[in-house]
Amino acid sequence: MSQTRVQIRPRRRPPLHFLPLGGCGEIGMNLNLYGHADDWIAVDCGMMIRQDLPDNPLQVPDLTTLNTLGIMPRALIITHGHEDHIGAVAWLWPNWDCPIHATPLAAGLLRAKFLERGLTTEAIRVIEPGEALETGPFTLRYLPLTHSIPESCALLIAAGEHRVLHTGDWKLDPEPLIGPPISAATFRAIAPVDLVVGDSTNAPLPGHSRSEGEVAHALVTAINHCEGRVVVSCFASNLARVLAIGRAARRCGRRVSLMGRSMERMVGVARGLGYLDDLPPLVPVTDLGYLPPEEVLVIATGSQGEPRAALSRLSRGRHPHFELTRGDTVIFSAKAIPGNERLIERLKRGLARFEVTLMDEFNHPELHASGHPAQDELRTFYGWVRPRRLLPVHGEPRHQQAHQALAREMGIAAPLAPMDGDLIRLDGDGLRLESRHPQSPCIVSQDAVAPLPGLGGAANRSRHGRLHLAVSVAATEHGWTRIGRLMLDASQASPLDETAFAEWLDDCLEEIETDSLVGLRHALQPRILAWFADHLHRVPEIHLQLLAVETERVGSSVKP
């Protein structure tokens, strides 16, 4: 008598979903959501500055997709305190009214933002680096990493049987100045992980990012050779750099003053947490006129040419308490953000009129260090955590593609380079794109978040669909050139010949002469509308975004 054979099927574990609404296909405005068993958490909630719009407004993530899918995060988890990770919280969190978990520095910065907007701070809960928390089906542990701001942490996220490492922003810095170096043992102990959601910013770059300790030594050498007053400009959030400048000033016999509201706020919050105890006593800007020039050092905002920042006021001779003179030195201890090149050049021309010495990333590259990992750091880190799969985030497509190539070289599956609005499923079969939800830009206008009107106006919105167009451009000596492929997403719009449009667009960019992204946008708007009117049966609502990128071959006409 034959026995009945019973076939036991392996139990399928519930999937984990990943939904980025910012920071994928772009750098800035990070917002990522993780879903498991109908529960969701949000990780970071940042903003970006729209350099291609008048007055450079803030853009924040669009929450329409969450409303459409019925997603309400039960918690907001913050990895660190940079603006592209926390800058939209005060604008978007009231839609959720959920607990906010952040390390002490990020929590302090968020409280200041909430108080400015008249929001209660009771939802902000402090968690120390290294600690864990539970919310719904999610267990999260904050794992300390080195970055250009203290308390940056990766998140080890466990939900069901899935283990995901969300890196946030990081680098392998052997001498970070503030906080300890990364513990290799900590990350080896969590290996292997099912998935890394990882920082792609410097994935195209070989080698290793420079250490903050190296920059500190270079600053001492540079400042020691200066004879007049010294102004050093850096990002206010780079507290390790601020500390390095202060220490260098003390070693060179100079007194330190801060210039710029964001610098004063960041230093104030950090000092309250004990991070800048070694910073020399600060001198009010109003008292600098009483000091000999060789004893003065100012740490100022405005390294990106921002018109209202302290350094721009100095370049126009419009600061009420401080005026540059011949023999002074201005040090740019920051890299130019793509798209700001012409603003920075204008700033430098203004500074040159005072006959000051300028030191920047071109003649003194040792005076700045990136906060993100280059290829050797990625290889080392992935050797520790041994991920089975990778999702490259925090980067433009070229950064994500370089990250994918490195992962495949290491035997890590990296089938997808997500874009904002991609709903991605992780299950026993791996990663796959489940659905795509085009994101409409939202800007902060008149103390409120509002959709950015399309080029075609509201009349086309309901009948003719929407078309989202992002164009990456680089400044050249003579104008602008397109870099990489068009990023185009259409909803109910007429079919489009992308090759013909790209060729036409390249011709337009070569013809347009303007000094800023705002000017370029103004020049392109009527041309784009006219082209679509000529080539499509129905003109959709068109959302245009110009993304400035950097390239080693500025002026090249190659457009892959």
Side-chain angles (χ1 to χ4, degrees), residues 42-87:
V43 175
D44 292 330
C45 188
M47 62 82 176
M48 68 187 300
I49 299 174
R50 284 297 296 267
Q51 298 165 334
D52 61 328
L53 294 175
D55 299 324
N56 302 131
L58 303 183
Q59 181 175 332
V60 299
D62 178 19
L63 301 186
T64 302
T65 299
L66 300 189
N67 297 331
T68 300
L69 298 177
I71 294 173
M72 180 66 72
R74 63 164 46 245
L76 172 58
I77 314 297
I78 302 297
T79 62
H80 65 283
H82 275 154
E83 285 296 299
D84 60 332
H85 292 258
I86 67 169

Side-chain angles (χ1 to χ4, degrees), residues 201-424:
T201 310
N202 281 346
L205 302 181
H208 197 290
S209 298
R210 185 178 290 113
S211 169
E212 285 294 332
E214 295 178 57
V215 177
H217 296 306
L219 283 166
V220 172
T221 301
I223 294 169
N224 201 39
H225 286 89
C226 296
E227 296 181 354
R229 294 174 299 176
V230 176
V231 178
V232 186
S233 188
C234 66
F235 295 112
S237 61
N238 193 340
L239 293 174
R241 191 72 48 81
V242 172
L243 180 59
I245 296 167
R247 288 175 174 173
R250 182 168 54 202
R251 288 188 59 179
C252 298
R254 294 179 180 268
R255 307 287 296 277
V256 177
S257 183
L258 302 181
M259 192 178 290
R261 190 177 70 165
S262 61
M263 183 72 69
E264 293 170 356
R265 173 188 290 177
M266 182 66 70
V267 169
V269 173
R271 293 184 93 176
L273 294 169
Y275 277 117
L276 297 176
D277 289 343
D278 198 25
L279 189 70
L282 298 174
V283 177
V285 174
T286 52
D287 293 349
L288 292 179
Y290 300 104
L291 296 175
E294 65 274 11
E295 294 182 14
V296 173
L297 185 143
V298 173
I299 308 176
T301 59
S303 65
Q304 301 304 305
E306 302 96 317
R308 292 185 291 272
L311 198 57
S312 286
R313 295 203 304 273
L314 291 177
S315 74
R316 298 191 300 270
R318 294 182 180 176
H319 195 282
H321 306 295
F322 193 91
E323 185 174 344
L324 293 168
T325 59
R326 183 178 182 180
D328 292 343
T329 299
V330 176
I331 298 174
F332 288 78
S333 188
K335 186 178 178 65
I337 294 175
N340 291 342
E341 295 91 349
R342 286 195 171 85
L343 283 175
I344 296 171
E345 285 306 312
R346 185 185 305 168
L347 169 65
K348 290 177 179 177
R349 288 195 298 270
L351 294 169
R353 289 197 291 269
F354 294 93
E355 298 184 68
V356 301
T357 300
L358 295 178
M359 303 174 71
D360 59 21
E361 61 181 292
F362 302 107
N363 56 21
H364 286 276
E366 72 279 5
L367 296 176
H368 177 64
S370 171
H372 303 272
Q375 292 175 1
D376 285 354
E377 293 160 276
L378 290 169
R379 291 189 182 95
T380 298
F381 188 70
Y382 294 160
W384 295 344
V385 301
R386 293 186 287 122
R388 298 184 178 94
R389 302 172 186 87
L390 167 78
L391 279 176
V393 299
H394 203 287
E396 298 162 2
R398 65 189 182 94
H399 303 103
Q400 294 173 290
Q401 291 159 13
H403 204 171
Q404 282 179 293
L406 183 142
R408 290 166 183 153
E409 172 192 305
M410 297 185 66
I412 302 168
L416 301 173
M419 300 293 289
D420 293 342
D422 285 357
L423 181 60
I424 295 172

Side-chain angles (χ1 to χ4, degrees), residues 2 10-11 27 32 52 67 80 111 156 222 229 260 285 416 453 473 529 532 558:
S2 61
R11 182 173 61 89
I27 294 178
N32 303 283
D52 61 328
N67 297 331
H80 65 283
R111 288 194 187 99
L156 180 62
R229 294 174 299 176
V285 174
L416 301 173
V473 296
L529 282 175
F532 279 104
V558 177

